[in-house]
Structures are given as structure tokens and as C-alpha cells.
Amino acid sequence: RDFAETYDLLRLVIETQKDKITSRKWTIAPRDDKKKPDAMCQAINDFFAMPDKEHTWQEWCRMLLEDMFVGDCATAYPRLTKGGDLFALEPMDGTTIKRVIDATGRTPFEGVAYQQILKGVPACDYTRDELMYKPRNVRTDKIYGYSKVEQIIMTVNIALRRQLSQYEYY
């Protein structure tokens, strides 16, 4: 995150990509072009207009994209109604989520699958059904994803040093 926040060119690239993705028009419709959207399609469109009941689609999407590009850890908490229906998809800081690994080296299907760690202390346990933790670039040799920023960390490090050197020169 420090690299993504410190290096201005990388920040511009990230913001440009977020702009491109969130500016696209979308709609929920039946796959069959001959069918007209029904009430369910309209309900889903209405839900995603403000998925967390606080932010618009574009704002909500930008938060998840930031976590995806910088930490490869887009995370959303599905808040349910008392009746068990989906009320909101609240974005969470995916860097605070620790995957729980069982004896086989995998995230368990039953019981605690994720822990939220705040200030070094486990704050909350989640099952697979209670949390949507979706890294994009999963790897077999690591339990976390491989973010776009992490993939270019050496290049960014060199660029930061070059930028600092130029700043000191002038």
C-alpha cells in the first residue's frame, strides 16, 4: 500500500484503471435477448445501484478495485436481513483478513475459514458463507493472492529511488 500511495505514477495508473472500469455502463438482463427484463432483473439492478446501502456502484466498485490492484484481496461482507435475505454487500479491508489453514493446508469448508486481525489481535471469525474473500491471482505456493502492485514492486522501488534522486539533485 505504501508503494501505491507514495509513487505518483503508479497511483495515476491505478486511478485510470478504476476510472475505465467504473465508467462502463451495465445492466442485469436475461441471457436470452428475446426475453425482456423481469422484476428480478430490476431488483438486482436496484440492489447494485447502492450495494452497501451507503455508496453508489462506482464508489463501491472503486473500493474493491483498490483492494484488488494493491493487495489482491477484494473482500465483501454480505449483511443479511433478519429473514436471511441479502441486505447489503459491505466492502472490508482485505489486508486485515487472515485465511485459516487446516491440517491439509487448505481453507476449511466447515467452521472458521477467515479471521479479521485488527492491531495484531484476532477480532472476528468468519466461515466461508459469512465472508466473500476473493483474491484474483491465487497461487499454489502461497495462501494469499499476488497483486498487480506486488508484481511490479522492484520496478516501483527503482522508480521511487530515481524520483528521490532527481528531487535531491534539483
Side-chain angles (χ1 to χ4, degrees):
R1 283 201 178 186
D2 289 341
F3 280 126
E5 291 175 5
T6 306
Y7 187 45
D8 53 351
L9 291 178
L10 178 57
R11 175 59 26 204
L12 286 170
V13 169
I14 290 171
E15 293 301 324
T16 301
Q17 291 305 308
K18 288 171 23 178
D19 289 342
K20 285 181 182 179
I21 293 170
T22 58
S23 67
R24 300 206 40 149
K25 301 294 181 206
W26 59 270
T27 188
I28 305 296
R31 289 184 184 197
D32 186 357
D33 293 336
K34 297 173 186 171
K35 292 184 180 180
K36 292 191 176 194
D38 58 5
M40 177 66 88
C41 291
Q42 186 59 45
I44 296 170
N45 278 315
D46 292 345
F47 175 83
F48 278 105
M50 292 191 78
D52 64 354
K53 306 298 185 231
E54 182 180 349
H55 301 96
T56 65
W57 163 258
Q58 288 78 13
E59 294 166 339
W60 181 84
C61 192
R62 290 179 78 84
M63 288 188 279
L64 289 178
L65 288 170
E66 178 75 20
D67 281 350
M68 185 59 66
F69 293 146
V70 178
D72 197 27
C73 56
T75 307
Y77 175 73
R79 184 171 297 279
L80 304 178
T81 63
K82 289 183 181 180
D85 295 329
L86 181 62
F87 174 72
L89 285 174
E90 299 175 352
M92 289 179 61
D93 180 2
T95 61
T96 65
I97 302 301
K98 178 187 102 170
R99 285 182 56 197
V100 174
I101 304 301
D102 64 10
T104 65
R106 295 173 179 81
T107 301
F109 285 101
E110 302 290 327
V112 176
Y114 307 103
Q115 282 186 322
Q116 186 173 29
I117 308 294
L118 299 174
K119 298 185 179 182
V121 178
C124 194
D125 294 337
Y126 298 99
T127 64
R128 282 183 180 241
D129 295 334
E130 294 173 325
L131 191 69
M132 297 172 69
Y133 177 79
K134 300 293 180 187
R136 182 171 179 256
N137 296 311
V138 292
R139 303 175 282 177
T140 57
D141 63 331
K142 306 273 192 291
I143 64 170
Y144 297 107
Y146 193 38
S147 76
K148 299 290 186 185
V149 172
E150 190 178 1
Q151 292 174 32
I152 61 166
I153 201 160
M154 185 57 73
T155 303
V156 171
N157 195 353
I158 292 167
L160 280 172
R161 291 173 192 271
R162 184 177 300 134
Q163 187 178 36
L164 183 60
S165 174
Q166 289 174 340
Y167 175 75
E168 289 173 349
Y169 178 79
Y170 291 109

